[in-house]
Amino acid sequence: MPKTARPTTAPTARLATVFATAIALIAASTLPVSASGQKHSKSAAVSNTAAASAKAPVLYATRSDAMQFADDLAARRNLDREWVRQAIGQARFLPQVPRLMLPPPKGTPKNWRAYRARFIDPVRIQAGVRFWQEHRAALERAEREFGVPAEIIVGIIGVETVYGQQMGNFRVMDALATLAFDFPTGHPRAAERTEFFRRELEQLLSLTDRSNIDPFALRGSYAGAMGLGQFMPSSWVRYAIDFDGDGRIDLFRSPVDAIGSVANYFIAHGWIPGMPTHYAVQFDTARLQLDDLLAPDILPTFSAPSLQAKGAVLDAAGARHTGSLALVELQNGADAPSYVAGTENFYAITRYNWSSYYAMAVIELGAEVAAARAR
């Protein structure tokens, strides 16, 4: 979906090789038909995997727009046209996926406390403690090399997959094809999101072609995200790294690779080592200009003095902050909202998932796990 002496990410050709090694392991354990078919044509591998389904699903081979996209993709990427047409054509339409992408109905109140409770509970905290203890050396190395705190990495992997326990059971090809060609038109950003998922489908097919891997071997979320850190195909290409040094990138089975890749993602998205994620804030109601403070949303725009001049009073550490800040509002249903002053590092977390609620859940889960470890 990490920074001053930062390691470089692998070149594309090498990444394809290590991606192939990792995915071959997954394919062997989840889809044995495709694993044995790699010595034959790629078309045969795709056909064999799709034929394993007992039912007759709705396939994209019947859609002229999907087939035109396949032809264009093949020409643009210099891929085998028939293989691309078969891969996209045998992807299944998943009717539940477009519904999952729709935002809540208008008027549905947001509730930070309810959202927080979904991700910060004793089960997830204890799983985080075990994960941290088992991979302490890798987390310390990631923090040392990238400057991303261990508790932020632990928070991300915990919120995303409960430390690998819930990585998703959707075939990524099906999920991406569904969202590329049947993204819900009722979504407020339908056109933009359609193009995003078409690019992700293209990245997936380009990777699996270069790696000679059956594209139907991959499992992930309903949005096409994969592995412990739920990377989209484009993020796998750009930010995934071989952090355990075994010569391959495996975000499914190597927690160490996932740890390093999450850290690498954050560095690439503006994480500033040593900077807090947020500060406490109170309001001086006599001079509060709340609409002005909330207008930039979560994008850090204000200096500490300008924030305070508009009535948002920072704690002592926040008042000394020299970077940009944003007033972050977290609604609590019918109760009064909660507020924090988010830094550029708070904003960096939202680049993983564009939500202030998500960012606070990551931050607070990591802090709870750290506190539980210390007890």
Side-chain angles (χ1 to χ4, degrees):
M1 214 213 290
K3 305 142 169 173
T4 280
R6 75 187 260 199
T8 57
T9 52
T12 301
R14 179 175 176 271
L15 178 58
T17 301
V18 293
F19 181 92
T21 306
I23 300 307
L25 291 171
I26 300 158
S29 64
T30 59
L31 292 173
V33 171
S34 65
S36 61
Q38 294 308 315
K39 295 182 181 178
H40 305 295
S41 72
K42 285 183 283 190
S43 295
V46 171
S47 299
N48 288 342
T49 303
S53 174
K55 296 183 179 180
V58 177
L59 303 179
Y60 279 98
T62 62
R63 290 274 295 272
S64 59
D65 59 336
M67 292 298 94
Q68 183 61 57
F69 177 85
D71 291 343
D72 294 343
L73 190 162
R76 185 165 56 250
R77 293 274 183 164
N78 194 28
L79 303 179
D80 180 87
R81 177 175 176 270
E82 287 308 311
W83 178 74
V84 175
R85 286 177 68 89
Q86 287 203 36
I88 292 178
Q90 293 178 42
R92 306 168 187 167
F93 169 67
L94 302 177
Q96 70 273 40
V97 165
R99 294 194 294 270
L100 291 169
M101 298 303 294
L102 286 171
K106 287 184 178 180
T108 303
K110 294 181 179 179
N111 192 319
W112 159 238
R113 295 192 188 103
Y115 185 95
R116 185 187 190 279
R118 289 168 49 196
F119 298 105
I120 302 171
D121 58 43
V123 171
R124 203 176 300 239
I125 290 168
Q126 288 307 309
V129 169
R130 291 192 297 271
F131 181 86
W132 197 326
Q133 290 172 338
E134 185 174 353
H135 304 293
R136 183 182 64 183
L139 288 162
E140 289 175 352
R141 182 160 60 94
E143 184 165 348
R144 186 170 59 250
E145 294 182 9
F146 295 102
V148 180
E151 65 186 62
I152 296 297
I153 300 170
V154 168
I156 285 284
I157 296 175
V159 167
E160 290 290 344
T161 63
V162 196
Y163 308 101
Q165 295 178 39
Q166 299 173 7
M167 290 190 285
N169 246 347
F170 291 86
R171 293 197 311 181
V172 173
M173 267 297 300
D174 297 336
L176 291 179
T178 297
L179 293 170
F181 305 116
D182 285 292
F183 195 87
T185 56
H187 192 283
R189 294 189 295 137
E192 175 188 342
R193 300 303 287 167
T194 294
E195 288 306 310
F196 169 80
F197 285 109
R198 290 189 177 192
R199 291 193 300 270
E200 293 299 330
L201 179 58
E202 180 169 337
Q203 288 279 12
L204 179 69
L205 286 170
S206 298
L207 268 175
T208 53
D209 172 78
R210 291 195 302 272
S211 307
N212 198 30
I213 294 299
D214 180 0
F216 290 92
L218 301 174
R219 303 274 174 159
S221 76
Y222 65 84
M226 301 177 285
L228 279 87
Q230 292 291 276
F231 273 30
M232 296 297 288
S234 62
S235 292
W236 193 308
V237 170
R238 295 173 186 143
Y239 311 117
I241 61 173
D242 172 19
F243 202 53
D244 63 11
D246 67 353
R248 64 177 184 263
I249 297 171
D250 185 352
L251 302 188
F252 291 88
R253 297 188 175 194
S254 172
V256 175
D257 282 357
I259 287 166
S261 298
V262 169
N264 192 44
Y265 183 97
F266 276 125
I267 284 300
H269 287 84
W271 184 271
I272 300 172
M275 178 180 285
T277 57
H278 64 287
Y279 301 103
V281 63
Q282 295 181 331
F283 291 148
D284 178 350
T285 55
R287 54 196 172 103
L288 180 62
Q289 300 173 44
L290 188 58
D291 288 346
D292 289 350
L293 289 168
L294 294 177
D297 198 13
I298 56 178
L299 181 66
T301 304
F302 302 99
S303 66
S306 66
L307 199 75
Q308 299 201 106
K310 293 181 180 293
V313 181
L314 296 163
D315 62 16
R320 293 192 299 269
H321 185 77
T322 57
S324 298
L325 296 167
L327 182 66
V328 177
E329 180 181 71
L330 301 166
Q331 297 176 21
N332 290 308
D335 296 332
S338 303
Y339 295 91
V340 297
T343 69
E344 289 159 286
N345 280 352
F346 187 97
Y347 183 73
I349 298 174
T350 68
R351 301 294 301 276
Y352 213 99
N353 182 311
W354 192 260
S355 165
S356 55
Y357 298 80
Y358 174 89
M360 281 303 298
V362 166
I363 293 164
E364 296 204 1
L365 175 60
E368 292 284 349
V369 174
R373 283 188 72 238
R375 288 199 287 269

